[in-house]
């Protein structure tokens, strides 16, 4: 009888047992190539930042949730923006109808940002903003608010996602063509290196690549390919990799296959160290891969939603065992609606239990030396390099995206994964096995459509009360700088300070750069 074979989700065959590696590496954490972590003491010195991703409805409602999360032990905020904000449309735009406040908070002007962080000192909290096409504008509003608070810009800490390449490849909330989009990103790199040195100017996101259906190996390979492309663009601008690479962070998905995920995180650090060193980085801080992790939204099921608490726990453990610097845990009810306060509380408690009760944090890289983990780390790395070499031969990530290569690879993997579920070859508890009769879910959190009108009324009030001569001058300066290749960030910050709307700024750049049709 033929022995049954087992595979990871990336189709790496899992052996029955693993012998010790023939040449075990004597690597130490905190030392190149950082396989075992970027800090010598791991979590013994400092725990990861416990973030909760939140944003919905109006700035007022989101502000209440932020205060609730901070009171329950969250140590960093992650802001979700609604689709119109992500796409550069004000709440009164025709295309915003039905979407205002639904997938995140609606932000039209600096006034909304002031309300969003009311009672929160920006110097004292780390804020991550999941925003890409309009990242420069939301960062401009954040900086304008910090100035109003009297905060030192040098003390601001946080991250903007600002990863447009994965939008073209996997998610779709792009506005401008690739070339001007890359120009905006390098403008942000340049500006923040001088004005906000502690701010992470990009979070290269594998998360959405994985949510679109990629394997762990593809998530790793395509994310690092994008990261390399951003470095290349910055170097071509004349920026010093030893400076800007220190402010690049990554954003990975934590999926259900515990050991493959740990291997992915370990391989990611090793590969990025080699990539940046090969591009000229000589400082260890410029070679270190620092990353935020979010548990996998695509694995959450509407059926038997309490099962999601266990899934999130497994995924969070993978992130911690893999050495994440920051973590968001999903609410168990997110396959049905925005998370309730109860779900958000359980999600943050999951992190706190791992941190304080599991013992995982007491030694660095607890799974290092495992015959299985070391072999799996090597195999994940090898397969990811195979992808990277193919992409380099195409001319880099932009060319690979424009040709459709990366999108097609993700689509094929997504189809294969779903096909296995439908055939019963992959078991999802409560979905295709271990079924149970269920009552209709109760007390789900919904956003009322009426908030669009409320947002429009606020917007009209701001427009009526602002200095519209300053608005016109701000927009004229912005368009001039866009045409002449001058760094856009100072003009964007000034426009935000003058209460120019997100849509007005985006439209000015649309007039200069055009709109990408895909």
């Amino acid at each position: 009888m033929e022995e049954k074979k087992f595979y990871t989700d990336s189709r790496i065959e899992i052996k029955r047992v693993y012998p010790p590696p023939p040449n075990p590496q004597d690597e130490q954490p905190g030392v190149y190539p950082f396989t075992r972590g970027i800090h010598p003491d791991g979590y013994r010195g400092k725990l990861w930042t416990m973030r909760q991703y939140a944003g919905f409805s109006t700035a007022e409602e989101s502000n209440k949730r932020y205060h609730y999360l901070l009171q329950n032990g969250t140590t960093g905020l992650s802001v979700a923006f609604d689709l119109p904000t992500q796409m550069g449309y004000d709440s009164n735009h025709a295309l915003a109808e039905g979407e205002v406040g639904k997938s995140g908070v609606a932000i039209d002007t600096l006034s909304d940002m002031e309300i969003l962080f009311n009672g929160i000192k920006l110097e004292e909290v780390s804020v991550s903003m999941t925003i890409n096409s309009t990242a420069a504008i939301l960062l401009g509003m954040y900086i304008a608010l910090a100035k109003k608070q009297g905060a030192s810009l040098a003390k601001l800490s946080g991250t903007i996602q600002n990863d447009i390449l994965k939008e073209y490849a996997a998610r779709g909330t792009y506005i401008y063509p690739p070339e001007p989009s890359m120009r905006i990103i390098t403008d942000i790199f340049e500006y923040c290196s001088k004005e906000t040195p502690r701010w992470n100017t990009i979070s290269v996101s594998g998360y959405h690549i994985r949510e679109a259906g990629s394997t762990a190996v593809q998530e790793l390979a395509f994310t690092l390919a994008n990261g390399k492309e951003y470095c290349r663009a910055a170097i071509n601008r004349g920026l010093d990799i030893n400076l800007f690479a220190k402010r690049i962070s990554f954003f990975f998905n934590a999926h259900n296959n515990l050991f493959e995920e740990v291997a992915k995180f370990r391989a990611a650090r090793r590969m990025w160290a080699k990539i940046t060193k090969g591009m000229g980085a000589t400082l260890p801080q410029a070679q270190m891969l620092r990353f935020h992790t979010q548990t996998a939204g695509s694995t959450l099921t509407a059926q038997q939603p309490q099962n999601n608490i266990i899934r999130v726990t497994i995924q969070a453990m993978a992130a911690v065992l893999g050495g994440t610097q920051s973590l968001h845990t999903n609410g168990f009810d997110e396959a049905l609606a925005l998370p309730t306060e109860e779900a958000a509380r359980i999600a943050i408690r999951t992190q706190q239990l791992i941190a304080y009760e599991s013992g995982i944090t007491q030694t660095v890289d607890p799974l290092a030396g495992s015959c299985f983990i070391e072999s799996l780390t090597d195999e994940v790395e090898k397969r990811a390099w195979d992808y990277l070499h193919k992409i380099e031969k195409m001319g880099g990530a932009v060319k690979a995206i424009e040709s459709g290569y990366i999108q097609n690879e993700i689509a094929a993997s997504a189809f294969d994964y779903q096909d296995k579920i439908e055939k019963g070859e992959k078991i999802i508890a409560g979905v295709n096995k271990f079924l149970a009769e269920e009552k209709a879910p109760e007390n789900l959190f919904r956003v009322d459509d009426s908030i669009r009108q409320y947002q429009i009324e606020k917007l009209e009030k701001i427009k009526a009360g602002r200095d519209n001569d300053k608005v016109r001058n701000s927009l004229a300066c912005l368009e001039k700088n866009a045409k002449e290749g001058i760094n856009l960030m100072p003009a964007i910050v000034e426009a935000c300070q003058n209460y120019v709307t997100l849509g007005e700024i985006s439209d000015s750049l649309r007039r200069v750069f055009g709109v990408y049709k895909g």
Side-chain angles (χ1 to χ4, degrees):
M1 183 177 173
E2 188 177 347
E3 184 180 357
K4 183 179 179 181
K5 293 186 176 182
F6 295 84
Y7 299 89
T8 71
D9 290 338
S10 295
R11 298 300 294 168
I12 297 172
E13 186 175 352
I14 301 173
K15 300 174 185 176
R16 185 177 64 85
V17 293
Y18 286 80
N23 295 302
Q25 292 180 309
D26 186 22
E27 291 185 4
Q28 292 299 313
V31 178
Y32 180 92
F34 309 107
T35 311
R36 301 192 62 188
I38 62 172
H39 299 302
D41 292 333
Y43 300 128
R44 291 161 65 97
K46 181 185 177 184
L47 291 174
W48 64 92
T49 301
M50 298 183 191
R51 296 190 182 278
Q52 286 305 102
Y53 187 46
F56 55 87
S57 185
T58 61
E60 290 89 342
E61 290 301 313
S62 293
N63 177 260
K64 291 177 186 175
R65 178 64 65 91
Y66 292 160
H67 282 284
Y68 174 82
L69 291 171
L70 291 168
Q71 288 162 8
N72 276 274
T74 293
T75 54
L77 298 174
S78 292
V79 185
F81 298 97
D82 71 359
L83 197 56
T85 302
Q86 294 179 49
M87 295 297 292
Y89 297 119
D90 291 333
S91 296
N92 61 358
H93 195 284
L95 292 177
E97 187 171 354
E99 294 292 343
V100 176
K102 293 294 180 68
S103 61
V105 62
I107 300 291
D108 292 318
T109 69
L110 175 59
S111 175
D112 290 318
M113 192 68 84
E114 291 166 356
I115 296 166
L116 186 67
F117 291 104
N118 184 38
I120 299 170
K121 292 183 178 180
L122 300 190
E123 277 189 6
E124 297 176 3
V125 65
S126 172
V127 174
S128 173
M129 295 189 281
T130 304
I131 195 71
N132 297 283
S133 295
T134 54
I137 304 170
L138 273 301
L139 178 59
M141 290 185 185
Y142 193 85
I143 289 170
L145 175 58
K147 288 183 174 185
K148 280 197 81 171
Q149 285 190 358
S152 166
L153 299 189
K155 293 182 180 179
L156 295 183
S157 66
T159 305
I160 44 168
Q161 192 163 100
N162 197 26
D163 176 7
I164 201 63
L165 292 180
K166 71 97 174 47
E167 295 295 327
Y168 299 122
R171 192 164 172 268
T173 64
Y174 47 76
I175 301 174
Y176 319 111
E179 186 176 342
S181 292
M182 293 292 284
R183 176 254 175 108
I184 294 170
I185 287 169
T186 51
D187 280 356
I188 293 170
F189 283 6
E190 186 177 54
Y191 175 86
C192 289
S193 68
K194 299 169 185 172
E195 301 294 332
T196 56
R198 292 183 61 197
W199 192 267
N200 297 322
T201 50
I202 193 166
S203 177
V204 190
S205 176
Y207 185 84
H208 301 97
I209 290 170
R210 192 64 175 280
E211 290 291 282
S214 79
T215 65
V217 167
Q218 289 171 337
E219 177 193 357
L220 175 56
F222 300 156
T223 304
L224 296 187
N226 288 347
K228 188 173 184 179
E229 194 83 353
Y230 294 126
C231 286
R232 193 152 34 211
I235 290 168
N236 290 341
R237 172 72 73 89
L239 302 182
D240 182 355
I241 191 170
N242 279 317
L243 292 179
F244 71 76
K246 290 191 290 186
R247 302 311 335 157
I248 294 175
S249 66
F250 288 80
F251 175 20
F252 286 116
N253 200 304
H255 231 259
N256 284 333
N257 195 311
L258 178 72
F259 297 114
E260 183 174 50
E261 294 302 292
V262 174
K264 177 188 74 181
F265 298 134
R266 299 175 87 246
R269 279 191 293 270
R270 195 154 73 197
M271 291 177 73
W272 186 245
K274 294 174 182 177
I275 288 169
T276 50
K277 186 176 182 180
M279 298 184 83
T282 55
L283 295 180
Q285 296 89 339
Q287 301 166 345
M288 293 177 181
L289 182 142
R290 296 163 298 114
F291 68 100
H292 169 70
T293 313
Q294 181 173 338
T295 56
S298 61
T299 67
L300 302 179
T301 63
Q303 303 93 326
Q304 301 178 29
Q306 289 83 358
N307 292 347
N308 294 328
I309 297 173
I310 313 304
R311 292 187 179 102
V312 168
T313 302
I314 292 169
Q315 294 162 10
M317 286 178 64
V320 173
L321 288 166
T324 192
Q325 277 65 64
S326 170
L327 177 61
H328 164 78
T329 33
N330 290 329
F332 70 86
D333 54 0
E334 287 190 56
L336 298 162
L338 291 169
T340 58
E341 285 194 353
E342 178 193 19
R345 185 174 63 252
I346 291 171
I348 191 62
R349 292 288 181 265
T350 301
Q351 295 197 49
Q352 291 161 345
L353 286 166
I354 293 171
Y356 297 106
E357 297 187 27
S358 72
I360 289 173
T361 61
Q362 293 170 3
T363 189
V364 186
D365 195 14
L367 297 181
S370 157
C371 303
F372 179 36
I373 283 294
E374 296 297 351
S375 174
L376 195 53
T377 301
D378 290 345
E379 186 63 26
V380 168
E381 180 184 9
K382 175 182 174 296
R383 295 189 182 206
W385 278 122
D386 288 344
Y387 269 116
L388 277 165
H389 294 326
K390 285 181 187 176
I391 291 168
E392 280 299 296
K393 285 181 181 178
M394 294 177 192
V398 171
K399 297 293 185 186
I401 290 167
E402 288 177 338
S403 71
Y405 171 73
I406 289 177
Q407 299 92 312
N408 291 338
E409 288 293 302
I410 295 170
S413 295
F415 177 85
D416 182 63
Y417 186 85
Q418 186 61 33
D419 187 54
K420 284 182 170 57
I421 293 173
E422 292 181 8
K423 288 178 178 176
E425 295 173 11
K426 184 167 187 63
I427 303 303
I428 307 295
V431 176
N432 62 358
K433 199 166 185 178
F434 315 118
L435 310 182
E437 288 189 18
E438 298 181 78
K439 295 179 182 178
E442 298 176 354
N443 302 319
L444 295 178
F445 181 31
R446 303 290 189 193
V447 174
D448 196 306
D449 280 327
S450 65
I451 71 112
R452 181 178 185 236
Q453 186 55 41
Y454 173 73
Q455 195 69 17
I456 289 172
E457 289 170 4
K458 279 201 300 179
L459 182 57
E460 290 174 348
K461 188 175 179 181
I462 290 294
K463 284 184 173 183
R466 68 189 182 178
D467 185 331
N468 284 301
D469 286 334
K470 286 185 176 180
V471 169
R472 283 187 287 273
N473 291 337
S474 293
L475 292 173
C477 177
L478 181 62
E479 288 194 35
K480 178 178 178 290
N481 290 1
K483 290 173 183 174
E484 296 179 2
I486 298 169
N487 192 303
L488 295 172
M489 281 305 300
I492 289 174
V493 172
E494 183 179 335
C496 293
Q497 289 175 305
N498 292 328
Y499 293 87
V500 181
T501 74
L502 174 133
E504 290 168 337
I505 295 172
S506 298
D507 284 343
S508 287
L509 297 178
R510 284 185 181 97
R511 285 192 288 272
V512 178
F513 297 143
V515 176
Y516 187 62
K517 300 298 183 184

